[in-house]
């Protein structure tokens, strides 16, 4: 991968493909970078051949080159592959957590929240296919009844967990120290 094409460089190329005549200030805002970082990254992208700079200081235009498109595609693929690995890791970790609770006699799991982590956690629980394991969804811990259950929550809740409910934050399960692989 081209040294300038990390996620920040990729973000710049994405914006420039849509708006080649944009100012550095607008570009920085759109890519959520400082103006100084944007300037430095643009220079690196141009030096590496990913970007062609046309015009003068007042009317500058940035053209993403074929090399830039290729490198951006390559880096997007790497980012997507990492995301897929992260999802697979989360699914496996959730399953390990549920199986630990199941081994202790817990027969109910609640996935608490609305975010994408909840979708992944809920699918991972169902994929275990344990016939006597009840899996439910809730918006908050306050919605759960008391009883022996594992609650997998997508964010800390100010609500008290019901009696007998053990709460695990889904994001904390992503800790590499608990890698089940």
């Amino acid at each position: 991968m081209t040294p300038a094409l990390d996620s920040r460089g990729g973000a710049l190329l994405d914006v420039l493909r849509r708006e080649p005549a944009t100012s550095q200030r607008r570009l920085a805002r759109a890519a959520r970078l400082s103006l100084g970082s944007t300037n430095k990254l643009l220079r690196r992208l141009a030096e590496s051949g990913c970007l062609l700079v046309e015009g003068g200081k007042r009317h500058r235009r940035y053209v993403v080159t074929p090399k830039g498109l290729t490198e951006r595609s390559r880096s997007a693929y790497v980012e997507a592959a990492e995301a897929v690995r992260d999802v697979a890791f989360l699914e496996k970790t959730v399953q390990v957590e549920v199986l630990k609770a199941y081994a202790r006699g817990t027969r109910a799991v609640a996935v608490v929240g609305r975010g994408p982590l909840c979708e992944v956690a809920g699918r991972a629980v169902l994929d275990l296919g344990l016939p006597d394991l009840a899996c439910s969804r809730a918006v908050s811990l306050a919605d759960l009844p008391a009883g022996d259950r594992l609650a997998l929550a997508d964010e800390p809740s100010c609500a008290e967990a019901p009696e007998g409910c053990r709460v695990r934050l889904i994001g904390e399960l992503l800790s590499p120290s608990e890698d089940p692989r």
Side-chain angles (χ1 to χ4, degrees):
M1 190 166 12
T2 301
L5 203 54
D6 56 10
S7 61
R8 299 175 320 145
L12 287 179
L13 290 181
D14 289 344
V15 173
L16 289 171
R17 279 190 359 241
R18 292 187 302 271
E19 301 176 52
T22 191
S23 70
Q24 281 192 18
R25 190 171 306 281
R26 268 202 229 140
L27 182 58
R29 200 174 312 120
R32 295 184 175 150
L33 298 170
S34 71
L35 191 55
S37 293
T38 300
N39 189 308
K40 188 184 291 188
L41 280 167
L42 287 171
R43 249 184 286 130
R44 285 186 190 155
L45 288 167
E47 289 168 2
S48 69
C50 290
L51 193 63
L52 183 64
V53 182
E54 297 176 344
K57 287 189 177 206
R58 281 279 199 217
H59 301 287
R60 195 166 277 169
R61 180 176 156 87
Y62 303 95
V63 179
V64 180
T65 64
K67 179 182 179 182
L69 291 172
T70 300
E71 290 298 321
R72 180 58 185 138
S73 294
R74 196 172 287 144
S75 71
Y77 174 82
V78 168
E79 291 169 13
E82 288 171 358
V84 168
R85 275 193 304 274
D86 289 347
V87 168
F89 175 74
L90 177 59
E91 287 173 337
K92 191 71 159 165
T93 306
V94 164
Q95 289 177 338
V96 166
E97 191 68 24
V98 169
L99 289 172
K100 285 181 194 174
Y102 189 82
R104 289 190 300 268
T106 299
R107 295 295 182 264
V109 175
V111 178
V112 182
R114 297 182 186 186
L117 291 179
C118 289
E119 295 301 321
V120 173
R123 188 178 65 242
V125 173
L126 293 175
D127 285 350
L128 283 171
L130 299 171
D132 59 339
L133 181 70
C135 182
S136 61
R137 294 290 303 257
V139 174
S140 76
L141 289 173
D143 298 335
L144 297 178
D148 182 20
R149 82 180 62 250
L150 171 63
L152 300 169
D154 66 348
E155 56 186 53
S157 174
C158 53
E160 287 288 319
E163 187 177 329
C165 183
R166 199 169 126 252
V167 179
R168 290 297 312 259
L169 290 177
I170 298 168
E172 288 177 358
L173 296 177
L174 290 170
S175 161
S177 63
E178 297 185 36
D179 189 340
R181 290 181 268 182

